[in-house]
Amino acid sequence: YTRSNVLRAVGHTLESKMIGKDLGDFCMGEGKITKKNFITEVVHGMYVKERSIGIEAMREGITLGGYADLPAISRHMSEKLISTLMFADARVKIDDVLGALLPCYMCDEQGKEIKNPNKEERRFIEQQKKFYKTIFKSFLKDKAEKNNKFLAKFLSFVTGMSYVPHFLAKPDYSIRIEFHKGLPEEQRLPSVKTCENALLLPYHAYHCNRQLFEKLLKESMRIGR
């Protein structure tokens, strides 16, 4: 890739927006971002270094540990597709996380929403919806604004991966927020099923108490439940 090809892939506006900012703000060392070091420091850090582990895992997976010919496979992929996957923004964006959320209300042990809920269950379903829309989503937004590393930690806790996959690579990707009928305890810590990208919450949704939820989620993330 030439400089012009790289800038076309990542966007010329990104360069103009970042020039003059501190490299330290993006965990890329000391000094200012300049036109001279934008490619070597910023692009390399955002699109190459952060992807090195993922690329190596992909190489091992695609080649079956070296048995398959990765260059031959790549030759059958369009340049546009390769550029899209390789130069997608490595930073976790709140809109991408919110867009991947899939709430599941009053679930059974298998994570399926119960059919024909009774009157009391319907009341709790309304409480769960209120919690999800007004507490949970605003909590994620607030934490993302205050701490640029929170979303990556949250995703790692729930899914085992610290990023949201590109839609071309995994179009059906979702993060399930399951409210479970069988989890009644008032002080129950949120738990996860990383193999299913699911965050499990009790059916009472902490009675829409954000402080309690935030406290228990922090503890759960700390011990890695």
Side-chain angles (χ1 to χ4, degrees), residues 73-89:
I73 295 173
S74 300
R75 282 195 290 271
H76 294 285
M77 300 171 66
S78 69
E79 181 181 350
K80 181 179 180 181
L81 177 59
I82 294 176
S83 295
T84 299
L85 293 175
M86 294 300 293
F87 288 100
D89 197 336

Side-chain angles (χ1 to χ4, degrees), residues 14 19 44 49 53 69 77 80 88 93 148 153 177 179 182 198 221:
L14 179 63
I19 285 180
H44 178 77
K49 187 176 180 180
I53 297 177
D69 187 351
M77 300 171 66
K80 181 179 180 181
K93 297 179 180 179
N148 59 11
K153 292 180 180 179
I177 309 301
F179 296 88
M221 291 177 65

Side-chain angles (χ1 to χ4, degrees), residues 208-219:
C208 291
N209 184 331
R210 171 165 169 166
Q211 289 183 326
L212 176 60
F213 165 69
E214 195 167 342
K215 171 188 173 183
L216 296 177
L217 178 65
K218 181 179 180 180
E219 177 63 15

Side-chain angles (χ1 to χ4, degrees), residues 5 29 41 61 66-67 70 105 122 140 149 156 159 197 218 220 222:
N5 285 337
E41 297 290 338
Y67 286 101
L70 181 57
Y105 304 113
R122 289 196 297 269
L140 290 181
K149 295 182 180 180
S156 180
T159 71
N197 296 346
K218 181 179 180 180
S220 190
R222 184 186 69 81

Side-chain angles (χ1 to χ4, degrees), residues 119-134:
K119 183 177 180 180
E120 183 180 17
E121 290 170 341
R122 289 196 297 269
R123 180 173 65 84
F124 277 111
I125 288 174
E126 291 304 313
Q127 185 166 294
Q128 294 165 9
K129 290 181 177 179
K130 179 181 178 182
F131 173 87
Y132 173 73
K133 294 177 181 178
T134 65

Side-chain angles (χ1 to χ4, degrees), residues 43 65 87 178 180 185 188:
V43 173
F87 288 100
E178 300 181 359
H180 275 256
E185 299 94 333
R188 181 180 177 85

